[in-house]
Amino acid sequence: MKKTARTRMRALLENHQCVPCASVFDPMSARMADDIGFKTGILGGSVTSLMTLGVPDICQLTLSELVEQARRVCRASDLPVIVDGDNGYGNALNVVRTIEALEYACASLVTLEDTVLPHGYNGSPQQLISVDEACSKLKAALKTRRDPEFAIFARTHALPGQSVESLLKRVIAYTATGIDGLCIFGLTDKDILEQVAANTHLPLMLISYGDTDLGSQQALADNKVRIRLQGHLAYEAAVRATYHSLQALHSRHNPEAKLQHTDAAAKTLIREYSRQSHYEALIRDYVTPAG
């Protein structure tokens, strides 16, 4: 099943189209995205930190915690899942462990960024490692990979803190390592996108929050953009809905009355995406057979 997901991801990267990326954070959200028709989803590091630890994206999440959540999400459906590998959790040797673990967890694509994590004492929040070290880590990732269909993208945070020249230097250097694609974080300018596309033959993934105008879907595709993520809206909506439902329940004078009025639409979705009928059939056939 997961070979199919990776094959689908490779086909997506080779097609001349730009597709939206769903933010998925648990098995049911991955199934929903797949069923709705998304071609790919991403398990973000920030969302995983919130889901597993309840803390913001401040480098408290460990590799093993990310891998466990990735395994849960990736096995739930045939949706090709991108996993945010942060900076590989350390140096090139740590990158080796990251690639081994996420490949085994059935990720279809992993992004490795060029930031210094965790932030150094008195350091900039977006401090970058050198181009040489970033390339070394990418080469280590490629050397470690066993399944050639498992895609490895370099993710750069050279914007907005660096010059366009610095960004392009990294684009050219990362392209030369033999990676499968580039993920550009925080790109908001059409002209810069065109310059990036002109300096690499690789497919691009863009992470830009909100409704940043980078051109039409066709223009994005023409500039080699194959995947675009515009935030983690599904997770944010789930948090908001959870809070408001708990708040409403708590504020009622007669909580027992609330228990008699469940959300039928939500229960239908839960039944469908937890595959309840599938498991009921298994129970009927193998746990409590009629005889």
PDB file of all heavy atoms in Angstrom, residues 73-107:
ATOM      1  N   VAL A  73      -0.157   8.234  10.970  1.00  0.00           N
ATOM      2  CA  VAL A  73      -0.800   8.976   9.885  1.00  0.00           C
ATOM      3  C   VAL A  73      -0.592   8.284   8.545  1.00  0.00           C
ATOM      4  O   VAL A  73      -1.531   8.142   7.750  1.00  0.00           O
ATOM      5  CB  VAL A  73      -0.267  10.424   9.841  1.00  0.00           C
ATOM      6  CG1 VAL A  73      -0.757  11.150   8.592  1.00  0.00           C
ATOM      7  CG2 VAL A  73      -0.690  11.191  11.092  1.00  0.00           C
ATOM      8  N   CYS A  74       0.634   7.840   8.276  1.00  0.00           N
ATOM      9  CA  CYS A  74       0.954   7.276   6.963  1.00  0.00           C
ATOM     10  C   CYS A  74       0.286   5.926   6.717  1.00  0.00           C
ATOM     11  O   CYS A  74      -0.037   5.597   5.573  1.00  0.00           O
ATOM     12  CB  CYS A  74       2.468   7.136   6.806  1.00  0.00           C
ATOM     13  SG  CYS A  74       3.363   8.701   6.756  1.00  0.00           S
ATOM     14  N   ARG A  75       0.077   5.153   7.753  1.00  0.00           N
ATOM     15  CA  ARG A  75      -0.521   3.832   7.553  1.00  0.00           C
ATOM     16  C   ARG A  75      -2.027   3.891   7.405  1.00  0.00           C
ATOM     17  O   ARG A  75      -2.665   2.906   7.016  1.00  0.00           O
ATOM     18  CB  ARG A  75      -0.178   2.906   8.727  1.00  0.00           C
ATOM     19  CG  ARG A  75      -0.967   3.201   9.993  1.00  0.00           C
ATOM     20  CD  ARG A  75      -0.792   2.126  11.054  1.00  0.00           C
ATOM     21  NE  ARG A  75      -1.606   2.398  12.233  1.00  0.00           N
ATOM     22  CZ  ARG A  75      -2.895   2.112  12.341  1.00  0.00           C
ATOM     23  NH1 ARG A  75      -3.533   1.561  11.317  1.00  0.00           N
ATOM     24  NH2 ARG A  75      -3.562   2.384  13.443  1.00  0.00           N
ATOM     25  N   ALA A  76      -2.633   5.039   7.696  1.00  0.00           N
ATOM     26  CA  ALA A  76      -4.088   5.113   7.775  1.00  0.00           C
ATOM     27  C   ALA A  76      -4.776   5.113   6.415  1.00  0.00           C
ATOM     28  O   ALA A  76      -5.950   4.764   6.324  1.00  0.00           O
ATOM     29  CB  ALA A  76      -4.497   6.362   8.555  1.00  0.00           C
ATOM     30  N   SER A  77      -4.071   5.528   5.366  1.00  0.00           N
ATOM     31  CA  SER A  77      -4.694   5.612   4.042  1.00  0.00           C
ATOM     32  C   SER A  77      -3.618   5.517   2.974  1.00  0.00           C
ATOM     33  O   SER A  77      -2.439   5.355   3.283  1.00  0.00           O
ATOM     34  CB  SER A  77      -5.459   6.940   3.896  1.00  0.00           C
ATOM     35  OG  SER A  77      -4.561   8.013   3.718  1.00  0.00           O
ATOM     36  N   ASP A  78      -4.052   5.640   1.718  1.00  0.00           N
ATOM     37  CA  ASP A  78      -3.108   5.640   0.604  1.00  0.00           C
ATOM     38  C   ASP A  78      -2.644   7.046   0.243  1.00  0.00           C
ATOM     39  O   ASP A  78      -1.948   7.239  -0.753  1.00  0.00           O
ATOM     40  CB  ASP A  78      -3.738   4.986  -0.629  1.00  0.00           C
ATOM     41  CG  ASP A  78      -3.843   3.473  -0.478  1.00  0.00           C
ATOM     42  OD1 ASP A  78      -3.006   2.892   0.242  1.00  0.00           O
ATOM     43  OD2 ASP A  78      -4.764   2.875  -1.054  1.00  0.00           O
ATOM     44  N   LEU A  79      -3.021   8.036   1.024  1.00  0.00           N
ATOM     45  CA  LEU A  79      -2.604   9.407   0.760  1.00  0.00           C
ATOM     46  C   LEU A  79      -1.089   9.530   0.869  1.00  0.00           C
ATOM     47  O   LEU A  79      -0.509   9.153   1.881  1.00  0.00           O
ATOM     48  CB  LEU A  79      -3.254  10.361   1.770  1.00  0.00           C
ATOM     49  CG  LEU A  79      -2.934  11.839   1.604  1.00  0.00           C
ATOM     50  CD1 LEU A  79      -3.693  12.411   0.414  1.00  0.00           C
ATOM     51  CD2 LEU A  79      -3.279  12.608   2.880  1.00  0.00           C
ATOM     52  N   PRO A  80      -0.417  10.048  -0.157  1.00  0.00           N
ATOM     53  CA  PRO A  80       1.017  10.297  -0.039  1.00  0.00           C
ATOM     54  C   PRO A  80       1.271  11.402   0.991  1.00  0.00           C
ATOM     55  O   PRO A  80       0.781  12.522   0.836  1.00  0.00           O
ATOM     56  CB  PRO A  80       1.429  10.747  -1.446  1.00  0.00           C
ATOM     57  CG  PRO A  80       0.349  10.237  -2.342  1.00  0.00           C
ATOM     58  CD  PRO A  80      -0.905  10.313  -1.527  1.00  0.00           C
ATOM     59  N   VAL A  81       2.002  11.077   2.037  1.00  0.00           N
ATOM     60  CA  VAL A  81       2.198  12.009   3.140  1.00  0.00           C
ATOM     61  C   VAL A  81       3.631  12.542   3.149  1.00  0.00           C
ATOM     62  O   VAL A  81       4.603  11.780   3.128  1.00  0.00           O
ATOM     63  CB  VAL A  81       1.874  11.348   4.490  1.00  0.00           C
ATOM     64  CG1 VAL A  81       2.164  12.311   5.647  1.00  0.00           C
ATOM     65  CG2 VAL A  81       0.418  10.903   4.535  1.00  0.00           C
ATOM     66  N   ILE A  82       3.723  13.874   3.185  1.00  0.00           N
ATOM     67  CA  ILE A  82       4.993  14.564   3.373  1.00  0.00           C
ATOM     68  C   ILE A  82       5.207  14.706   4.875  1.00  0.00           C
ATOM     69  O   ILE A  82       4.280  15.064   5.605  1.00  0.00           O
ATOM     70  CB  ILE A  82       4.946  15.965   2.734  1.00  0.00           C
ATOM     71  CG1 ILE A  82       4.645  15.865   1.237  1.00  0.00           C
ATOM     72  CG2 ILE A  82       6.240  16.726   2.983  1.00  0.00           C
ATOM     73  CD1 ILE A  82       4.180  17.176   0.627  1.00  0.00           C
ATOM     74  N   VAL A  83       6.397  14.419   5.344  1.00  0.00           N
ATOM     75  CA  VAL A  83       6.704  14.603   6.763  1.00  0.00           C
ATOM     76  C   VAL A  83       7.769  15.678   6.903  1.00  0.00           C
ATOM     77  O   VAL A  83       8.799  15.644   6.229  1.00  0.00           O
ATOM     78  CB  VAL A  83       7.170  13.289   7.425  1.00  0.00           C
ATOM     79  CG1 VAL A  83       7.534  13.532   8.887  1.00  0.00           C
ATOM     80  CG2 VAL A  83       6.074  12.225   7.328  1.00  0.00           C
ATOM     81  N   ASP A  84       7.483  16.628   7.766  1.00  0.00           N
ATOM     82  CA  ASP A  84       8.416  17.703   8.081  1.00  0.00           C
ATOM     83  C   ASP A  84       9.512  17.145   8.978  1.00  0.00           C
ATOM     84  O   ASP A  84       9.291  16.886  10.162  1.00  0.00           O
ATOM     85  CB  ASP A  84       7.641  18.829   8.776  1.00  0.00           C
ATOM     86  CG  ASP A  84       8.532  19.949   9.282  1.00  0.00           C
ATOM     87  OD1 ASP A  84       9.751  19.921   9.020  1.00  0.00           O
ATOM     88  OD2 ASP A  84       7.992  20.863   9.944  1.00  0.00           O
ATOM     89  N   GLY A  85      10.698  16.966   8.407  1.00  0.00           N
ATOM     90  CA  GLY A  85      11.815  16.398   9.159  1.00  0.00           C
ATOM     91  C   GLY A  85      12.656  17.434   9.881  1.00  0.00           C
ATOM     92  O   GLY A  85      13.755  17.113  10.337  1.00  0.00           O
ATOM     93  N   ASP A  86      12.130  18.673   9.996  1.00  0.00           N
ATOM     94  CA  ASP A  86      12.895  19.771  10.597  1.00  0.00           C
ATOM     95  C   ASP A  86      14.300  19.805   9.993  1.00  0.00           C
ATOM     96  O   ASP A  86      14.456  19.687   8.788  1.00  0.00           O
ATOM     97  CB  ASP A  86      12.912  19.653  12.117  1.00  0.00           C
ATOM     98  CG  ASP A  86      11.615  20.165  12.733  1.00  0.00           C
ATOM     99  OD1 ASP A  86      10.928  20.982  12.100  1.00  0.00           O
ATOM    100  OD2 ASP A  86      11.266  19.725  13.847  1.00  0.00           O
ATOM    101  N   ASN A  87      15.322  19.922  10.806  1.00  0.00           N
ATOM    102  CA  ASN A  87      16.681  19.968  10.259  1.00  0.00           C
ATOM    103  C   ASN A  87      17.359  18.597  10.335  1.00  0.00           C
ATOM    104  O   ASN A  87      18.581  18.501  10.260  1.00  0.00           O
ATOM    105  CB  ASN A  87      17.525  21.019  10.981  1.00  0.00           C
ATOM    106  CG  ASN A  87      17.877  20.617  12.401  1.00  0.00           C
ATOM    107  OD1 ASN A  87      17.215  19.750  12.984  1.00  0.00           O
ATOM    108  ND2 ASN A  87      18.903  21.217  12.967  1.00  0.00           N
ATOM    109  N   GLY A  88      16.544  17.548  10.479  1.00  0.00           N
ATOM    110  CA  GLY A  88      17.107  16.210  10.616  1.00  0.00           C
ATOM    111  C   GLY A  88      17.507  15.888  12.033  1.00  0.00           C
ATOM    112  O   GLY A  88      18.173  14.880  12.281  1.00  0.00           O
ATOM    113  N   TYR A  89      17.125  16.774  12.964  1.00  0.00           N
ATOM    114  CA  TYR A  89      17.351  16.573  14.389  1.00  0.00           C
ATOM    115  C   TYR A  89      18.824  16.556  14.781  1.00  0.00           C
ATOM    116  O   TYR A  89      19.224  15.898  15.739  1.00  0.00           O
ATOM    117  CB  TYR A  89      16.621  15.307  14.876  1.00  0.00           C
ATOM    118  CG  TYR A  89      15.128  15.504  14.877  1.00  0.00           C
ATOM    119  CD1 TYR A  89      14.397  15.317  13.703  1.00  0.00           C
ATOM    120  CD2 TYR A  89      14.452  15.926  16.010  1.00  0.00           C
ATOM    121  CE1 TYR A  89      13.021  15.542  13.676  1.00  0.00           C
ATOM    122  CE2 TYR A  89      13.085  16.155  15.989  1.00  0.00           C
ATOM    123  CZ  TYR A  89      12.384  15.966  14.819  1.00  0.00           C
ATOM    124  OH  TYR A  89      11.028  16.199  14.797  1.00  0.00           O
ATOM    125  N   GLY A  90      19.631  17.294  14.038  1.00  0.00           N
ATOM    126  CA  GLY A  90      21.038  17.408  14.423  1.00  0.00           C
ATOM    127  C   GLY A  90      21.943  17.495  13.211  1.00  0.00           C
ATOM    128  O   GLY A  90      21.605  18.094  12.191  1.00  0.00           O
ATOM    129  N   ASN A  91      23.098  16.871  13.316  1.00  0.00           N
ATOM    130  CA  ASN A  91      24.063  16.922  12.219  1.00  0.00           C
ATOM    131  C   ASN A  91      23.780  15.816  11.204  1.00  0.00           C
ATOM    132  O   ASN A  91      22.713  15.187  11.227  1.00  0.00           O
ATOM    133  CB  ASN A  91      25.491  16.850  12.760  1.00  0.00           C
ATOM    134  CG  ASN A  91      25.789  15.515  13.453  1.00  0.00           C
ATOM    135  OD1 ASN A  91      25.083  14.524  13.279  1.00  0.00           O
ATOM    136  ND2 ASN A  91      26.845  15.492  14.246  1.00  0.00           N
ATOM    137  N   ALA A  92      24.728  15.560  10.320  1.00  0.00           N
ATOM    138  CA  ALA A  92      24.514  14.590   9.245  1.00  0.00           C
ATOM    139  C   ALA A  92      24.241  13.181   9.780  1.00  0.00           C
ATOM    140  O   ALA A  92      23.470  12.424   9.176  1.00  0.00           O
ATOM    141  CB  ALA A  92      25.718  14.574   8.307  1.00  0.00           C
ATOM    142  N   LEU A  93      24.835  12.829  10.903  1.00  0.00           N
ATOM    143  CA  LEU A  93      24.587  11.506  11.482  1.00  0.00           C
ATOM    144  C   LEU A  93      23.154  11.399  11.995  1.00  0.00           C
ATOM    145  O   LEU A  93      22.511  10.357  11.870  1.00  0.00           O
ATOM    146  CB  LEU A  93      25.580  11.224  12.615  1.00  0.00           C
ATOM    147  CG  LEU A  93      27.043  11.103  12.189  1.00  0.00           C
ATOM    148  CD1 LEU A  93      27.922  10.831  13.403  1.00  0.00           C
ATOM    149  CD2 LEU A  93      27.218   9.993  11.149  1.00  0.00           C
ATOM    150  N   ASN A  94      22.660  12.486  12.570  1.00  0.00           N
ATOM    151  CA  ASN A  94      21.260  12.498  12.999  1.00  0.00           C
ATOM    152  C   ASN A  94      20.321  12.430  11.803  1.00  0.00           C
ATOM    153  O   ASN A  94      19.242  11.823  11.877  1.00  0.00           O
ATOM    154  CB  ASN A  94      20.967  13.749  13.821  1.00  0.00           C
ATOM    155  CG  ASN A  94      21.823  13.835  15.062  1.00  0.00           C
ATOM    156  OD1 ASN A  94      22.724  14.665  15.146  1.00  0.00           O
ATOM    157  ND2 ASN A  94      21.570  12.974  16.019  1.00  0.00           N
ATOM    158  N   VAL A  95      20.714  13.049  10.696  1.00  0.00           N
ATOM    159  CA  VAL A  95      19.922  12.975   9.463  1.00  0.00           C
ATOM    160  C   VAL A  95      19.795  11.525   9.005  1.00  0.00           C
ATOM    161  O   VAL A  95      18.734  11.091   8.544  1.00  0.00           O
ATOM    162  CB  VAL A  95      20.547  13.849   8.359  1.00  0.00           C
ATOM    163  CG1 VAL A  95      19.923  13.536   7.004  1.00  0.00           C
ATOM    164  CG2 VAL A  95      20.365  15.324   8.690  1.00  0.00           C
ATOM    165  N   VAL A  96      20.864  10.769   9.139  1.00  0.00           N
ATOM    166  CA  VAL A  96      20.827   9.349   8.772  1.00  0.00           C
ATOM    167  C   VAL A  96      19.730   8.634   9.556  1.00  0.00           C
ATOM    168  O   VAL A  96      18.918   7.885   8.991  1.00  0.00           O
ATOM    169  CB  VAL A  96      22.201   8.695   9.023  1.00  0.00           C
ATOM    170  CG1 VAL A  96      22.099   7.173   8.928  1.00  0.00           C
ATOM    171  CG2 VAL A  96      23.226   9.211   8.031  1.00  0.00           C
ATOM    172  N   ARG A  97      19.687   8.859  10.864  1.00  0.00           N
ATOM    173  CA  ARG A  97      18.647   8.241  11.690  1.00  0.00           C
ATOM    174  C   ARG A  97      17.257   8.718  11.276  1.00  0.00           C
ATOM    175  O   ARG A  97      16.301   7.936  11.240  1.00  0.00           O
ATOM    176  CB  ARG A  97      18.873   8.577  13.171  1.00  0.00           C
ATOM    177  CG  ARG A  97      20.015   7.842  13.830  1.00  0.00           C
ATOM    178  CD  ARG A  97      19.745   6.353  13.990  1.00  0.00           C
ATOM    179  NE  ARG A  97      18.483   6.091  14.668  1.00  0.00           N
ATOM    180  CZ  ARG A  97      18.342   6.045  15.999  1.00  0.00           C
ATOM    181  NH1 ARG A  97      19.377   6.268  16.788  1.00  0.00           N
ATOM    182  NH2 ARG A  97      17.153   5.768  16.531  1.00  0.00           N
ATOM    183  N   THR A  98      17.132   9.998  10.967  1.00  0.00           N
ATOM    184  CA  THR A  98      15.840  10.558  10.580  1.00  0.00           C
ATOM    185  C   THR A  98      15.326   9.904   9.304  1.00  0.00           C
ATOM    186  O   THR A  98      14.142   9.522   9.209  1.00  0.00           O
ATOM    187  CB  THR A  98      15.956  12.079  10.392  1.00  0.00           C
ATOM    188  OG1 THR A  98      16.350  12.676  11.631  1.00  0.00           O
ATOM    189  CG2 THR A  98      14.648  12.684   9.928  1.00  0.00           C
ATOM    190  N   ILE A  99      16.183   9.774   8.315  1.00  0.00           N
ATOM    191  CA  ILE A  99      15.773   9.172   7.049  1.00  0.00           C
ATOM    192  C   ILE A  99      15.433   7.705   7.227  1.00  0.00           C
ATOM    193  O   ILE A  99      14.417   7.211   6.707  1.00  0.00           O
ATOM    194  CB  ILE A  99      16.877   9.354   5.992  1.00  0.00           C
ATOM    195  CG1 ILE A  99      17.053  10.824   5.649  1.00  0.00           C
ATOM    196  CG2 ILE A  99      16.569   8.536   4.740  1.00  0.00           C
ATOM    197  CD1 ILE A  99      15.811  11.488   5.076  1.00  0.00           C
ATOM    198  N   GLU A 100      16.251   6.980   7.954  1.00  0.00           N
ATOM    199  CA  GLU A 100      15.962   5.560   8.211  1.00  0.00           C
ATOM    200  C   GLU A 100      14.592   5.401   8.871  1.00  0.00           C
ATOM    201  O   GLU A 100      13.784   4.568   8.453  1.00  0.00           O
ATOM    202  CB  GLU A 100      17.035   4.964   9.118  1.00  0.00           C
ATOM    203  CG  GLU A 100      18.384   4.776   8.458  1.00  0.00           C
ATOM    204  CD  GLU A 100      19.453   4.297   9.445  1.00  0.00           C
ATOM    205  OE1 GLU A 100      19.241   4.441  10.674  1.00  0.00           O
ATOM    206  OE2 GLU A 100      20.499   3.799   8.991  1.00  0.00           O
ATOM    207  N   ALA A 101      14.335   6.214   9.872  1.00  0.00           N
ATOM    208  CA  ALA A 101      13.105   6.064  10.646  1.00  0.00           C
ATOM    209  C   ALA A 101      11.872   6.468   9.843  1.00  0.00           C
ATOM    210  O   ALA A 101      10.839   5.788   9.882  1.00  0.00           O
ATOM    211  CB  ALA A 101      13.198   6.887  11.924  1.00  0.00           C
ATOM    212  N   LEU A 102      11.950   7.578   9.111  1.00  0.00           N
ATOM    213  CA  LEU A 102      10.778   8.045   8.366  1.00  0.00           C
ATOM    214  C   LEU A 102      10.516   7.205   7.127  1.00  0.00           C
ATOM    215  O   LEU A 102       9.356   7.063   6.711  1.00  0.00           O
ATOM    216  CB  LEU A 102      10.943   9.520   8.000  1.00  0.00           C
ATOM    217  CG  LEU A 102      10.855  10.475   9.190  1.00  0.00           C
ATOM    218  CD1 LEU A 102      11.101  11.905   8.758  1.00  0.00           C
ATOM    219  CD2 LEU A 102       9.497  10.359   9.897  1.00  0.00           C
ATOM    220  N   GLU A 103      11.554   6.645   6.538  1.00  0.00           N
ATOM    221  CA  GLU A 103      11.324   5.724   5.423  1.00  0.00           C
ATOM    222  C   GLU A 103      10.588   4.492   5.927  1.00  0.00           C
ATOM    223  O   GLU A 103       9.624   4.025   5.301  1.00  0.00           O
ATOM    224  CB  GLU A 103      12.644   5.328   4.763  1.00  0.00           C
ATOM    225  CG  GLU A 103      12.451   4.415   3.569  1.00  0.00           C
ATOM    226  CD  GLU A 103      13.728   4.171   2.779  1.00  0.00           C
ATOM    227  OE1 GLU A 103      14.746   4.855   3.028  1.00  0.00           O
ATOM    228  OE2 GLU A 103      13.706   3.286   1.896  1.00  0.00           O
ATOM    229  N   TYR A 104      11.000   3.979   7.078  1.00  0.00           N
ATOM    230  CA  TYR A 104      10.344   2.812   7.665  1.00  0.00           C
ATOM    231  C   TYR A 104       8.921   3.141   8.096  1.00  0.00           C
ATOM    232  O   TYR A 104       8.031   2.281   8.073  1.00  0.00           O
ATOM    233  CB  TYR A 104      11.158   2.306   8.858  1.00  0.00           C
ATOM    234  CG  TYR A 104      10.566   1.104   9.545  1.00  0.00           C
ATOM    235  CD1 TYR A 104      10.604  -0.153   8.940  1.00  0.00           C
ATOM    236  CD2 TYR A 104       9.958   1.217  10.787  1.00  0.00           C
ATOM    237  CE1 TYR A 104      10.056  -1.266   9.565  1.00  0.00           C
ATOM    238  CE2 TYR A 104       9.403   0.115  11.426  1.00  0.00           C
ATOM    239  CZ  TYR A 104       9.464  -1.121  10.806  1.00  0.00           C
ATOM    240  OH  TYR A 104       8.907  -2.221  11.431  1.00  0.00           O
ATOM    241  N   ALA A 105       8.685   4.391   8.474  1.00  0.00           N
ATOM    242  CA  ALA A 105       7.341   4.820   8.898  1.00  0.00           C
ATOM    243  C   ALA A 105       6.394   5.034   7.722  1.00  0.00           C
ATOM    244  O   ALA A 105       5.241   5.400   7.917  1.00  0.00           O
ATOM    245  CB  ALA A 105       7.443   6.104   9.719  1.00  0.00           C
ATOM    246  N   CYS A 106       6.881   4.833   6.497  1.00  0.00           N
ATOM    247  CA  CYS A 106       6.067   4.894   5.276  1.00  0.00           C
ATOM    248  C   CYS A 106       5.761   6.305   4.793  1.00  0.00           C
ATOM    249  O   CYS A 106       4.789   6.521   4.064  1.00  0.00           O
ATOM    250  CB  CYS A 106       4.772   4.105   5.429  1.00  0.00           C
ATOM    251  SG  CYS A 106       5.045   2.343   5.714  1.00  0.00           S
ATOM    252  N   ALA A 107       6.584   7.283   5.181  1.00  0.00           N
ATOM    253  CA  ALA A 107       6.443   8.616   4.599  1.00  0.00           C
ATOM    254  C   ALA A 107       6.733   8.527   3.101  1.00  0.00           C
ATOM    255  O   ALA A 107       7.554   7.715   2.665  1.00  0.00           O
ATOM    256  CB  ALA A 107       7.402   9.592   5.268  1.00  0.00           C
TER     257      ALA A 107
END
